[in-house]
Amino acid sequence: MNESSLAKWLRWLVYASAFVPLIIFSQYVSPFHFGKVVVLRSIVQVMLALYVLLVWRDRSYMPKSHPILWTFLAFTLAFTLTTVTGVAFLQSFWGTLERMGGLFTFWHYFIFYVIAASVMRTRNDWQTLLNIMIGVGVLSAIYGFLQKTDWTFILGSGGRQRPFGTIGNPALFAGYQILVAFLAVTLSFMQRVASGWKQWYRIAGSIMLLAAMSTAVRGSLIGIVVGGLVWALLWSSLNRSRLARNVLLGGLSGVVVFIFLAISLRSTTFVQNSPYLRRVTDFSSSTFTVQTRFWAWTAGFQGWSENAKTMLVGWGPENFNVPFSMHFNPKFFTGPGAETFFDRAHNMFMEVLVTMGLVGLISYLSLFFASFRTYVQFMNKDSDTRVLGIGFTAMTVAYIIHNCFIFDTSANFLTFFMLLAFVTHVSMRGLDATIQKTTQSQRSSRWSGAQVATAGILGVVTLVTVYATNVRPSVANYASTRAIIAGWQGDWLGAVNKYREAIDADTPGRYEFRHRFAQYILELSSSVDVTKVPNFEEITLKVIEDVKQNTIENPDDYLPYLYMSRLYIILGKNNPKSPYNDMALQMSAKALEISPTFVRTYYEVAQAYLNKGELAQSIVWFKKAAELNPDVAVTYWYIGSVQYQIAAKAGSVAGVKEALGSINTALTKGYTLTESDGQKLIQIFLQVGDFQNIAAVLEQMVYNYPTNSEYWGQLIAAYGQLGQNDKIVTTIRRALAVPQVSADTQFVERAKSTLKTLGAQL
């Protein structure tokens, strides 16, 4: 293989990498990110081996100095430094299973950029790559549109209102589409592009912009609009175009009109009946999703400003969850199922500041500065290069605004750095670069023994690296999804064996595998009698040991302690004297040391005291949770339930009334009764003879469970106790209108008898 063959293979691998945004590993955890990253890393690892040989054979392929190269390297080195100084090295190095970030992956982006900028040397090379990128972007957009269908072979389908294409998240999808859409539109304005291709680029750009807009991600929509206005401004200024000036003025007027109409009409039925319009016209800072972003940014900023070290080098990449949990805002917790874990800041600039400090933020901003400086140079050149400068300036502005409300992952990083490699090429070689012949002094005609030996070593090292860092994690990931499926199917031993396989593989992702195993046990314990599950205690204790390893690898992370506390609570549930309950309290105490305002942990402490039979202590901790966030209805339900247990044991009517006060507070704050809750509450109200509230509870029960004739009968009886005969008659008629109830002959006979007694007719 000669140097031209090496360069050709590298170009083909660059082209192959452009298809990565389409990759979905549907049978894996994190199907939209995991597959993209392991495939890209494998490609880049092969590319690196070939590139080393190519440069050895032909020094003309060495990277050329450029401001974008140096600022990109500076950011990558800052990433490296802050990984070493961070609070959880392994997490910073490998990243999380869900996002697949981390230092190891990020170096692949830099290596890819260097190789692409070095081996892609001609207009044809880049034209091929850019065409692939645009085609892939259109395919991803179409996939997103198909998610609005019910076609089961489309992952994420089912009438989805906000598509996420092949990227896996509406906001990330919008960011990816913005980059490729602006690329397509830019190429459509170039003079030296054939008319047929221009038409295709315009169609492709329109499809992708439509896809981005269909996500209803407000930050992305603002980015698109501002990017478009920047384009019109630059075009009108540099090309003295009246049309562009009119577009700019029209665009500005359109923005003003939209804001006016949105404010005026957002409360109308037309807007409120449209999920899309309701979302994009909601500018209120009181919107919960907007508030959560500000709370997360505030927590992150507080963490960043904690001391000189965090201000300089941050907490370490991929570690935003640490300062977030330390400064957790209790308002995040709105009840079970609330989003209380932010592993990213949802603002790329805040993310970099908090996790990489000023060192990271300055180097990150310098990358954009070098890019804009290059775009300005383009605007001072010939027409097509000027078009590129204008289009990419608008694209980068839109991308920056978009990134103020979200973060980057694999597809977006790859696409952005591909485009920066193209910008670097144009800056160094021009748009119309052609192949330059390599001189004899630049290359060696024959492979030396050292080069052949090195090629063999590099081949072996590459195979081992690909297997260790991509294949083995893929096998472990797949095992974890087999465990999840086995759990769904009720196969306890099958699930245990597969979780064990995933964890024992000891690959990146083990943090999540351990926690998923723990979560499976917790979910199982809520649905079955664990005393009948084979080896349940033994296996659970082993899982606790697994999760304990997460506390060693991530010492400032409260979550493993919380999982261990919950697992110990399950083990000590039926035995007040069990030592597991005290162990649960120890784990909860450690979790609270890290995150003292995390509401859920107070529930775990209270539950451990319930296990121990110390009901008064349990109430103390539930009340502490209520103090942290007084608006959470379920907290008052828990308080009332425990108060009732105490009152029932003591035979205290006053205690029952106190419990009912807490329960009424829960209902007033919006607590939704489950069936068992309703039955329990009816028994409490019976103790104090409160038939008015019994009737109110039963009205909820028959609304939620209309086919249950027993609840209808109890409701009729409650109205009888209240002497409300008119409601008895109305309730009977409502009940008999339900086919399943009218088929209950015993209920029908009793209903007829009651009506006869009241002198009423059906």
Side-chain angles (χ1 to χ4, degrees), residues 471-487:
V471 176
R472 288 186 69 246
S474 297
V475 172
N477 189 324
Y478 186 76
S480 73
T481 59
R482 299 313 92 188
I484 293 170
I485 292 173

Side-chain angles (χ1 to χ4, degrees), residues 37-46 48 76 79-81 83-84 89-96 100-112 317-318 413 461-462 464-471 473 507-508:
V37 172
V38 295
V39 170
L40 178 65
R41 289 197 312 213
S42 299
I43 291 173
V44 173
Q45 287 160 12
V46 173
L48 179 60
T76 308
F79 205 129
T80 305
L81 171 65
T83 294
V84 174
F89 174 79
L90 289 176
Q91 179 129 316
S92 294
F93 187 82
W94 292 112
T96 64
M100 294 297 291
L103 177 66
F104 182 72
T105 297
F106 197 81
W107 267 104
H108 287 73
Y109 299 128
F110 178 73
I111 293 168
F112 176 86
E318 300 288 303
F413 267 142
V461 170
T462 300
V464 171
T465 303
V466 169
Y467 176 75
T469 63
N470 302 312
V471 176
T507 66

